[in-house]
Amino acid sequence: MQPVRRATAELNASGGVGGAVAQIARQRGARVIGADRVAPPDGGAIRDHADLLLIDEPDLPAAVWKATDGRGAAVIYDCVGGKTMFEIATRCLAHKGRLIEISATGDPIVQFNLADFYHNETRLFGVDSLKHDLVQCARTLDALRPDFESGRYRPAPIAATYGLDDAKAAYSCVTNGAQGRIVLTPQL
């Protein structure tokens, strides 16, 4: 009898970070359920590595519970953050589920039912990659390099390329929700 793989859900799955997380989690044996409001234009890296739920936020917990046969997600990697997604993510978690928050878009002040939180034995992790020094980042990238070089991991497609003089426009493109990587080049 095969063991049941625990499901990992991730929010904003079709973005660059979401696609990377899906690929890494799948390679490590997780069943990945990605959630997003829209599908990536070309299917993106998420297509081969996750079951993608295209769903409005209020319906997301029911969809995750259904997709996990009533167990909930063992891990949720929230690439969106903020009040709305935090509250929704906590309702998607399995017993002893882990919620990893890497962002706080919109309203960063959240509320949740403390009794539900401890009865579910939920674990909450905040991760700020800006706190990692160059040595830590280099180790992480070195560990991932073989899978990129072999083609096992695919980077997000390039959505737009800007010269350094247009860095403000590039940043605006990112904040306006561009799907894919925004690349800055020394000259165009």
Side-chain angles (χ1 to χ4, degrees), residues 14-87:
S14 62
V17 173
V21 169
Q23 292 177 76
I24 293 166
R26 177 62 65 99
Q27 188 214 4
R28 294 185 178 206
R31 173 179 177 223
V32 179
I33 301 167
D36 212 322
R37 290 183 194 144
V38 296
D42 68 347
I46 191 78
R47 145 186 92 209
D48 298 326
H49 300 282
D51 300 320
L52 184 59
L53 298 175
L54 298 177
I55 196 143
D56 288 330
E57 294 157 356
D59 300 328
L60 185 57
V64 168
W65 281 86
K66 181 179 179 185
T68 59
D69 297 323
R71 290 187 303 272
V75 177
I76 294 182
Y77 193 90
D78 183 3
C79 301
V80 179
K83 177 182 178 175
T84 302
M85 291 314 301
F86 178 87
E87 292 171 1

Side-chain angles (χ1 to χ4, degrees), residues 9-180:
E10 84 175 84
L11 310 177
N12 194 26
S14 62
V17 173
V21 169
Q23 292 177 76
I24 293 166
R26 177 62 65 99
Q27 188 214 4
R28 294 185 178 206
R31 173 179 177 223
V32 179
I33 301 167
D36 212 322
R37 290 183 194 144
V38 296
D42 68 347
I46 191 78
R47 145 186 92 209
D48 298 326
H49 300 282
D51 300 320
L52 184 59
L53 298 175
L54 298 177
I55 196 143
D56 288 330
E57 294 157 356
D59 300 328
L60 185 57
V64 168
W65 281 86
K66 181 179 179 185
T68 59
D69 297 323
R71 290 187 303 272
V75 177
I76 294 182
Y77 193 90
D78 183 3
C79 301
V80 179
K83 177 182 178 175
T84 302
M85 291 314 301
F86 178 87
E87 292 171 1
I88 290 169
T90 59
R91 294 194 328 246
C92 295
L93 285 169
H95 179 246
K96 294 189 177 184
R98 293 164 285 180
L99 175 57
I100 301 166
E101 289 289 340
I102 67 160
S103 184
T105 59
D107 187 353
I109 306 300
V110 300
Q111 294 183 51
F112 58 99
N113 184 310
L114 191 55
D116 289 346
F117 182 81
Y118 75 76
H119 285 303
N120 195 50
E121 299 184 86
T122 300
R123 291 167 276 175
L124 175 61
F125 300 91
V127 177
D128 184 352
S129 60
L130 293 176
K131 301 285 191 285
H132 296 245
D133 64 27
L134 292 176
V135 173
Q136 290 169 309
C137 291
R139 281 189 205 121
T140 300
L141 292 173
D142 281 343
L144 296 172
R145 180 188 333 222
D147 291 311
F148 277 106
E149 288 175 349
S150 73
R152 183 178 287 152
Y153 292 161
R154 292 187 352 216
I158 295 173
T161 303
Y162 292 87
L164 286 178
D165 292 344
D166 291 328
K168 275 186 163 182
Y171 187 76
S172 291
C173 189
V174 170
T175 59
N176 289 327
Q179 293 287 314

